Amino acid sequence: MKTKTNHHVVQIPLEFLIACKIYKLEPREVLQIFIDHATVYDSIADGYSEGFSEASKTISVFVSSLRRTANGAHAYKHCLESTALNFKGIYDLANRETGYTKAKRKKSLSYINDLYATMERVYTTSDTFYLDENTTLQFTKDFTVMCELHNCYPAEFLEHFMSRISLAEMEAKTGLKVPNDNFTMHFFMKIVLGFGLADDETPDLTEDEVVFLMATEKMRLHIYTIRSVKERTAIFKRFYQKRYEELMNQN
């Protein structure tokens, strides 16, 4: 018998937890930054906008792989005409050659507000999502509208985002100088460097962290002759998981 998926619970992948732990980030904080930068406008616009482009493209690519919206968004079946007009307004803004991106994104919010006000919630029961009893995420109007437009639960977007975060794969590709087109991982590394964080100051390294960085460099030298991305990724997965377990045991 097939188990029914609970779309009100997010399954957090181990590799995402490992990446957050190693870089001293709270998973909730990373997910909130992703939510805050995913917009309908940026999923359409061709130009690059730091953070917004990566977050929005992460959702767009996922939605394209599902092909769920051929029959229209369930939440807007009662107001197809106004929905089409609002969506066209955002599309026209995104494709307008003149004007600053920030200003056009801000202007798109008037259309998002209308879409938010007219939708009949099907996939987003609330703007607050509980990761656990004490940890919540707050959805933006843009994020909820994207969920309803594409007939997707928020958990699906969040789990897809997290599934693309892998320090091991990044390390393997970097070591072999293999082009890394994982824009979601690039977005995560921007957060590591302070993007979207309330406090973007880089804390001083502890002695333990310096030792770990030295061990990482030794590992890179140790596997230098291994030229397979798959093999390197597997080795670094074990390496990072061991570090994660050490950090967890310190708590």
Side-chain angles (χ1 to χ4, degrees):
M1 184 177 179
K2 189 176 180 180
T3 304
K4 187 177 181 180
T5 302
N6 185 350
H7 292 294
H8 301 296
V9 176
V10 167
Q11 302 298 323
I12 302 181
L14 178 59
E15 282 202 78
F16 178 74
L17 289 174
I18 289 172
C20 289
K21 193 68 177 178
I22 286 176
Y23 284 112
K24 297 190 281 191
L25 295 169
E26 290 294 330
R28 185 211 67 80
E29 193 168 27
V30 175
L31 291 174
Q32 188 64 59
I33 293 171
F34 166 63
I35 290 166
D36 293 344
H37 289 83
T39 75
V40 176
Y41 171 86
D42 290 283
S43 67
I44 299 171
D46 288 331
Y48 175 73
S49 186
E50 185 178 20
F52 291 97
S53 294
E54 292 93 340
S56 304
K57 188 178 179 182
T58 296
I59 289 178
S60 296
V61 171
F62 174 65
V63 168
S64 295
S65 71
L66 296 178
R67 306 188 181 204
R68 278 188 190 165
T69 53
N71 296 321
H74 302 151
Y76 295 101
K77 284 186 176 180
H78 65 292
C79 55
L80 295 177
E81 186 175 349
S82 63
T83 299
L85 288 173
N86 282 314
F87 192 75
K88 182 180 184 301
I90 300 173
Y91 181 86
D92 289 343
L93 276 173
N95 286 279
R96 184 186 299 170
E97 294 183 3
T98 58
Y100 291 103
T101 297
K102 187 175 181 180
K104 289 190 288 185
R105 183 186 300 113
K106 185 176 181 180
K107 191 171 183 179
S108 75
L109 291 178
S110 63
Y111 299 110
I112 292 297
N113 286 336
D114 284 345
L115 287 167
Y116 180 87
T118 56
M119 70 183 187
E120 292 184 349
R121 290 180 182 269
V122 178
Y123 298 92
T124 56
T125 56
S126 171
D127 291 341
T128 300
F129 189 93
Y130 283 84
L131 290 175
D132 57 45
E133 289 184 359
N134 303 307
T135 311
T136 61
L137 297 170
Q138 295 299 317
F139 297 149
T140 62
K141 289 183 179 180
D142 243 306
F143 190 81
T144 58
V145 166
M146 291 183 83
C147 290
E148 298 297 353
L149 278 174
H150 298 303
N151 298 330
C152 287
Y153 291 97
E156 293 180 277
F157 288 165
L158 298 175
E159 288 177 357
H160 176 69
F161 166 74
M162 292 186 288
S163 73
R164 291 174 57 81
I165 306 303
S166 171
L167 292 183
E169 182 182 66
M170 181 184 72
E171 183 68 53
K173 288 184 176 180
T174 300
L176 293 176
K177 296 182 179 179
V178 174
N180 191 346
D181 59 356
N182 187 342
F183 45 85
T184 312
M185 191 67 207
H186 296 325
F187 178 65
F188 178 84
M189 294 309 296
K190 286 180 182 294
I191 299 174
V192 169
L193 297 175
F195 179 81
L197 297 173
D199 181 5
D200 60 0
E201 290 187 14
T202 304
D204 294 332
L205 293 175
T206 65
E207 183 178 344
D208 182 54
E209 288 166 342
V210 172
V211 171
F212 173 67
L213 288 176
M214 293 173 64
T216 304
E217 188 57 37
K218 287 181 180 178
M219 177 61 74
R220 290 172 185 145
L221 293 172
H222 180 69
I223 66 171
Y224 179 77
T225 57
I226 299 176
R227 313 313 288 172
S228 164
V229 170
K230 185 176 180 180
E231 287 183 49
R232 278 180 170 243
T233 299
I235 291 170
F236 270 104
K237 274 187 179 181
R238 293 192 293 270
F239 178 75
Y240 282 125
Q241 183 167 347
K242 181 180 177 182
R243 174 59 177 170
Y244 173 75
E245 291 169 353
E246 290 173 354
L247 291 171
M248 291 300 291
N249 289 332
Q250 290 175 11
N251 293 341

